[in-house]
Amino acid sequence: MKYLHLIIFFLFQTVLLEVQENSIGQWRDELPYNQLIAITESNDFVYAATPYSLLSYNKKEAVLNRISKVNGLSDFGVSILSYNEDYNTLLVTYSNANIDLIKDGKVVNLSDIKRKTILGNKNINDIYFIDQFAYLSCGFGIVVVDIEREEIKDTYYIGDNGKNVEVFDLDVLGDEFFAATENGIYRANINNPNLANYNNWVKLNHLPFPNDPYNHIVTFQDYLIVNRLTNVPADQLFALTGYTWIEVISNINYKTSNLNVSNDQLLISFTHAIGIFNSDFSLNRIVNSYGESFETSPQPSAILKSTDGNYYIADQIQGLVISPDLHAFQSNILNGPLTTKVFDMSIVGSKVVVASGGRDESFSNVFMQDGVFVYSDGSWTNFYKSNTSALDTVYDFVCVDVNPNNSNEFAVGTWGKGLFTFNENGFVDAYNQYNSSLTPNSTYSHIMRLGGVAYDSKNNLWVASAISNALLHKRAPSGEWTAYEFGAWSSYDIRDMIADKRDNLWILLRGGGAYMLFVFDDNQPANQQLIGLNSASGNGNIPGTSVLSLAYDLDGEIWIGTDEGIGVIYQPENIFYDGDYDAQKIIVERDGYAQYLLESEKVKAIAVDGANRKWVGTERAGIFLLSADGQEELLNFTAENSPLYSNNINSIGITDEGEVFIGTDQGLIVYRGTASKSEEPAFSDVYSYPNPVRPDYFGPIAIKGLTRDAFVKITDISGRLVNEIRSEGGQAIWSGENLKGDRVQTGIYLVFIANIDGSESIVTKIMFIH
């Protein structure tokens, strides 16, 4: 059982909201909150679901709040939610059939359906409450949850002869259940003590199209309203009174997203409109626009008329839309990236840029048009086809790099549509074969697949072009372009590219060919600028068959992530000169046995923090924090032991302040590490946080503005040693305890700091208050 923190208080205001800096060791979700799929309410709050998490809206204070795996939810990927007023319980279901009950400030997880082996799908499509019981419409039947006893009470398999049948929705008319399913509507007496017996569920054969799918059902004015799911642009709605069925509302040419009843009105969410209907099914109002200030037409998932008199709309693009009268509308969106897609990421300082595109395992296009997401000063700006006309037909953004000399400048390469550059004002230029040296694909003249982009220390922008006439291209700061042709070596597929501290370019190849890596040095003679590395001893000795990631550390060493763990080139400068440059595997001890580091894992991402430690992302085992030499495993975060959404990590980046941005295949999440970038010049801005340390604070105390591996001694005012620590990158972390592990008393404590060779030192103070 986990406690749900910050579910009601603190957090975020409406529309665009400033994100506060994480405390050390804390997580923050960076998910899109504009796409809402379901909605419910309590007396004080409106709750809405995204496909990933939840948000709540305080009706009195007009404050939005994010609720995710970071602050208490048990899982990731929400499917539906509903609030039971009598038992003050919010029931949340997930796409994997997991269930959370949020009640009395805590989260109770019911994982029975998730864990149970069931043939067919286990989707949970809807929730219907009767007293303490929640009836879940599932992909195989109906599950009854007792929310008071916090347990699964029963399961009904209602299909013919007890077979699985997908139940989309459930409602009650009189004393009977009506279940809308994939092959018609079933009825059962609500008072029958044995509803688990399929014989007590009778299919309605007098309904028009009795064997067709019906996906929504609601009771309205003593009628049962059902929606027939069709393969044409408009669904069909029928009303049952007694044993007579009539078609209603047949003049709206949209699919039906949701049915709801409120204040003697039938509220219908269509794909691009909202319909309000009177008790005789006459049209009260149709809403097909929120107004000129909205970029898109309505895409409502659901609508409710609240006890406060407002209409609340869960919209798939505009977030939570609120209207007092369905004439004026206000969109409420928590700031975030446009989507959960993270293919590549680049960070300089505190600027984060995400390329959202992708390609499949065969390096073919997936035609994703989500765009580019930029995080700066605590908020996201998204560039995509709807707000940047130059990106209108662009797809598969696969590589990005931020200029290390100017974090406002960055470049994005696409797998088919060329190169795009941006600055602090947004989009700047698009480059292709007509305005640069870039060359198209050798087979398809209209396709330009760019696998890597990288800025060097001289502000040159380098671009790696896959399967083209020229492998590399350079745009100088003057704007002049130069192409570098390497014959047959230009025919490789490019996975990625980075520039190291020596301005050498490391080009990751698809794998399966003669080489796994190319290394390029522009300072070498023309016929010696490019060297290919592979798994052969003396020619790279790279583990596995494919290089998936690469990073250079603070000592200049090259860490290579492969499909068989990690290899390290300790002297990469030898590649273009005489000397050994073979990658070495790191031997570690696990359970008393020596083995190679992560040799059974695909290492898809590596990032280096301010303490030279390695953050390693894998395909199956989540993310590892390793010591600087890789010998010690300091942390291993997985979806099972942390808020991490998934164990499949695509990309990792670290800000100067030590925030670790982790791009999973399910979205972006941030962890605040203990190491920050070290300060140059030494000790230019040293301070402690929090300071003073108040009685109710028991977290880590950060001493910031340090050099890497600085010595820190903490004494009381009389000079007696209290504790001593080393900095991790640019900061040292003190627990507030003395050498015996006891919390220090009220007083002033002196912090003596010296760099690693003792040539620089400084003293600061920390006040403790009890």
Side-chain angles (χ1 to χ4, degrees), residues 68-298:
S68 71
K69 197 178 178 188
V70 166
N71 54 8
L73 293 184
S74 296
D75 217 324
F76 181 85
V78 177
S79 59
I80 198 70
L81 81 169
S82 189
Y83 189 82
N84 187 310
E85 192 73 47
D86 294 332
Y87 289 85
N88 298 317
T89 299
L90 179 66
L91 193 155
V92 181
T93 70
Y94 298 91
S95 55
N96 61 5
N98 208 355
I99 299 171
D100 276 346
L101 304 177
I102 303 176
K103 54 193 300 191
D104 302 325
K106 62 186 180 183
V107 175
V108 180
N109 179 240
L110 304 178
S111 59
D112 305 56
I113 306 175
K114 174 185 175 181
R115 291 184 287 106
K116 187 174 182 180
T117 301
I118 297 174
L119 294 177
N121 84 68
K122 298 196 290 186
N123 295 343
I124 301 177
N125 299 311
D126 214 287
I127 303 167
Y128 186 86
F129 284 115
I130 299 178
D131 299 326
Q132 73 198 65
F133 300 111
Y135 294 82
L136 310 183
S137 300
C138 300
F140 53 88
I142 298 168
V143 172
V144 186
V145 177
D146 188 329
I147 62 174
E148 184 177 39
R149 296 172 62 91
E150 301 171 359
E151 64 183 19
I152 302 294
K153 179 179 181 291
D154 213 340
T155 301
Y156 308 153
Y157 296 94
I158 68 172
D160 297 342
N161 299 314
K163 293 181 180 178
N164 289 8
V165 63
E166 181 161 16
V167 180
F168 293 108
D169 203 354
L170 186 74
D171 213 311
V172 172
L173 181 61
D175 59 357
E176 290 186 303
F177 278 122
F178 289 86
T181 79
E182 62 181 315
N183 58 13
I185 295 178
Y186 290 79
R187 177 176 63 191
N189 190 294
I190 195 172
N191 298 311
N192 192 306
N194 190 18
L195 290 176
N197 185 340
Y198 68 89
N199 289 308
N200 292 318
W201 291 83
V202 179
K203 190 174 183 179
L204 301 185
N205 290 314
H206 66 290
L207 174 67
F209 311 100
N211 299 314
D212 281 10
Y214 289 82
N215 62 338
H216 299 293
I217 189 167
V218 71
T219 302
F220 176 60
Q221 296 290 343
D222 295 326
Y223 289 91
L224 195 70
I225 312 299
V226 298
N227 184 76
R228 173 178 171 251
L229 187 62
T230 71
N231 294 321
V232 297
D235 291 339
Q236 278 187 295
L237 285 157
F238 294 96
L240 167 66
T241 175
Y243 288 94
T244 302
W245 291 92
I246 58 172
E247 184 176 359
V248 295
I249 314 169
S250 58
N251 57 342
I252 297 180
N253 195 33
Y254 289 125
K255 308 293 285 185
T256 302
S257 302
N258 187 263
L259 304 176
N260 193 12
V261 173
S262 181
N263 296 338
D264 296 327
Q265 291 180 328
L266 177 64
L267 311 179
I268 304 182
S269 302
F270 298 104
T271 48
H272 290 287
I274 297 166
I276 313 298
F277 298 89
N278 300 317
S279 58
D280 61 354
F281 304 113
S282 61
L283 179 63
N284 180 291
R285 184 174 303 158
I286 187 77
V287 177
N288 50 31
S289 173
Y290 294 141
E292 294 182 358
S293 61
F294 288 78
E295 293 182 358
T296 62
S297 61

Side-chain angles (χ1 to χ4, degrees), residues 334-385:
L334 289 168
N335 180 256
L338 183 67
T339 73
T340 60
K341 304 302 181 183
V342 182
F343 192 81
D344 193 26
M345 179 165 43
S346 179
I347 297 180
V348 169
S350 60
K351 173 71 70 66
V352 181
V353 184
V354 173
S356 69
R359 56 188 168 225
D360 63 20
E361 291 295 322
S362 65
F363 275 56
S364 297
N365 287 99
V366 294
F367 301 103
M368 186 182 299
Q369 291 188 274
D370 292 10
V372 180
F373 317 143
V374 181
Y375 180 84
S376 180
D377 297 326
S379 66
W380 289 91
T381 302
N382 301 303
F383 299 99
Y384 59 109
K385 62 180 182 178

Side-chain angles (χ1 to χ4, degrees), residues 16 84 105 217 307 314 323 357 389 489 544 550 605 625 692 707 726 744 754:
L16 296 179
N84 187 310
I217 189 167
T307 54
S323 174
S389 59
W489 285 19
L550 189 144
L625 173 60
T707 57
R726 293 285 294 273
V744 299

Side-chain angles (χ1 to χ4, degrees), residues 474-750:
K474 180 178 73 173
R475 190 200 68 179
S478 64
E480 180 184 358
W481 282 87
T482 305
Y484 293 75
E485 299 180 7
F486 294 101
W489 285 19
S490 296
S491 64
Y492 278 81
D493 263 329
I494 309 298
R495 187 183 297 274
D496 203 356
M497 178 175 68
I498 70 167
D500 68 15
K501 289 184 176 181
R502 294 172 292 275
D503 285 341
N504 289 348
L505 300 177
W506 296 75
I507 305 168
L508 287 66
L509 307 178
R510 177 179 173 181
Y515 298 103
M516 302 160 68
L517 268 177
F518 288 150
V519 188
F520 172 84
D521 185 352
D522 197 25
N523 296 315
Q524 301 297 323
N527 63 344
Q528 300 175 30
Q529 290 177 318
L530 193 70
I531 292 180
L533 307 185
N534 55 30
S535 59
S537 178
N539 199 53
N541 195 40
I542 298 172
T545 61
S546 183
V547 174
L548 307 179
S549 58
L550 189 144
Y552 62 90
D553 72 5
L554 302 184
D555 297 329
E557 298 169 355
I558 301 296
W559 286 62
I560 304 170
T562 78
D563 57 348
E564 294 183 14
I566 291 175
V568 183
I569 299 178
Y570 291 102
Q571 295 178 301
E573 63 274 11
N574 289 343
I575 290 178
F576 291 96
Y577 303 96
D578 292 335
D580 179 26
Y581 58 84
D582 273 359
Q584 305 298 315
K585 292 182 180 181
I586 297 174
I587 299 175
V588 295
E589 183 180 325
R590 293 288 185 272
D591 301 323
Y593 295 95
Q595 57 184 270
Y596 291 122
L597 178 65
L598 299 175
E599 65 176 336
S600 62
E601 301 295 338
K602 291 183 177 180
V603 176
K604 298 175 63 179
I606 305 175
V608 180
D609 69 14
N612 207 29
R613 303 176 305 182
K614 312 310 186 288
W615 292 82
V616 177
T618 68
E619 185 177 75
R620 301 177 305 170
I623 187 169
F624 294 83
L625 173 60
L626 306 177
S627 59
D629 60 5
Q631 293 287 332
E632 184 180 358
E633 179 185 307
L634 305 175
L635 295 170
N636 176 210
F637 293 127
T638 67
E640 292 72 33
N641 68 12
S642 76
L644 202 64
Y645 318 136
S646 164
N647 290 328
N648 189 357
I649 311 299
N650 289 332
S651 185
I652 306 171
I654 304 173
T655 68
D656 285 356
E657 285 298 310
E659 287 203 320
V660 183
F661 281 70
I662 305 166
T664 77
D665 64 342
Q666 299 295 320
L668 191 63
I669 191 168
V670 181
Y671 176 81
R672 180 63 180 271
T674 57
S676 64
K677 184 179 179 180
S678 59
E679 287 294 323
E680 297 293 341
F683 311 138
S684 59
D685 185 22
V686 175
Y687 66 98
S688 300
Y689 182 84
N691 193 9
V693 182
R694 302 192 180 278
D696 58 349
Y697 182 79
F698 292 90
I701 301 159
I703 304 162
K704 302 186 176 185
L706 311 185
T707 57
R708 179 182 163 196
D709 295 326
F711 295 95
V712 179
K713 291 183 181 291
I714 301 164
T715 74
D716 60 20
I717 199 68
S718 64
R720 287 176 296 192
L721 182 65
V722 173
N723 212 324
E724 52 187 348
I725 49 182
R726 293 285 294 273
S727 69
E728 297 177 347
Q731 67 184 10
I733 305 300
W734 180 34
S735 64
E737 298 174 344
N738 60 26
L739 291 170
K740 295 180 180 179
D742 300 323
R743 188 168 176 81
V744 299
Q745 300 300 310
T746 295
I748 302 292
Y749 293 85
L750 303 179

Side-chain angles (χ1 to χ4, degrees), residues 277-332:
F277 298 89
N278 300 317
S279 58
D280 61 354
F281 304 113
S282 61
L283 179 63
N284 180 291
R285 184 174 303 158
I286 187 77
V287 177
N288 50 31
S289 173
Y290 294 141
E292 294 182 358
S293 61
F294 288 78
E295 293 182 358
T296 62
S297 61
Q299 295 187 40
S301 298
I303 179 175
L304 63 81
K305 178 74 176 293
S306 174
T307 54
D308 67 1
N310 286 320
Y311 291 92
Y312 291 89
I313 304 163
D315 193 274
Q316 297 181 48
I317 298 294
Q318 302 294 342
L320 183 64
V321 179
I322 304 174
S323 174
D325 53 8
L326 295 180
H327 289 290
F329 300 88
Q330 178 187 3
S331 173
N332 299 264

